[in-house]
Amino acid sequence: MTEEGKADIENKILESIEKDFKKSNNDETKVFYFQDSLESDAVKLKNANVYFNGDKLIVTYPHYTLAPYSTGMPEFIFSKEEMKKYLKDLT
């Protein structure tokens, strides 16, 4: 994956976390993330497990990286089309 692709994924994850923060403030459905997860290197892909499941790129973070244990392991899903321009052609 290109460096540009990594940065794009990290930015999309940060945007998702920010949306969840806003949603949690306006909704009874609470999604808990550590506040400093928005301000630290926690979302860097080096801290995540990245894998493919069919045509989707899955990025998941271990417990306590972005959120408390009770939140589970945060998972972010990206479509193949969304990430296609950042992946190297292996054929």
Side-chain angles (χ1 to χ4, degrees):
M1 181 179 299
T2 66
E3 290 303 314
E4 180 185 5
K6 289 178 187 178
D8 189 42
I9 290 172
E10 292 165 357
N11 286 332
K12 288 178 186 223
I13 291 170
L14 279 172
E15 289 171 9
S16 178
I17 292 171
E18 287 173 348
K19 284 180 191 174
D20 285 343
F21 269 124
K22 290 176 185 172
K23 181 179 174 183
S24 291
N25 290 333
N26 300 324
D27 192 346
E28 289 183 15
T29 307
K30 297 287 184 189
V31 179
F32 295 102
Y33 290 101
F34 296 132
Q35 180 65 39
D36 66 348
S37 64
L38 293 172
E39 303 158 358
S40 70
D41 286 343
V43 298
K44 296 289 185 191
L45 291 181
K46 67 181 181 182
N47 298 321
N49 299 308
V50 181
Y51 62 94
F52 286 94
N53 186 358
D55 284 347
K56 300 200 181 327
L57 176 74
I58 313 292
V59 179
T60 184
Y61 290 87
H63 296 290
Y64 304 111
T65 304
L66 299 179
Y69 184 85
S70 60
T71 298
M73 294 173 62
E75 184 176 85
F76 303 89
I77 302 170
F78 301 93
S79 70
K80 177 182 174 182
E81 289 303 313
E82 197 175 0
M83 296 293 105
K84 192 175 187 178
K85 62 184 173 185
Y86 301 124
L87 300 174
K88 296 177 183 173
D89 186 9
L90 300 176
T91 60

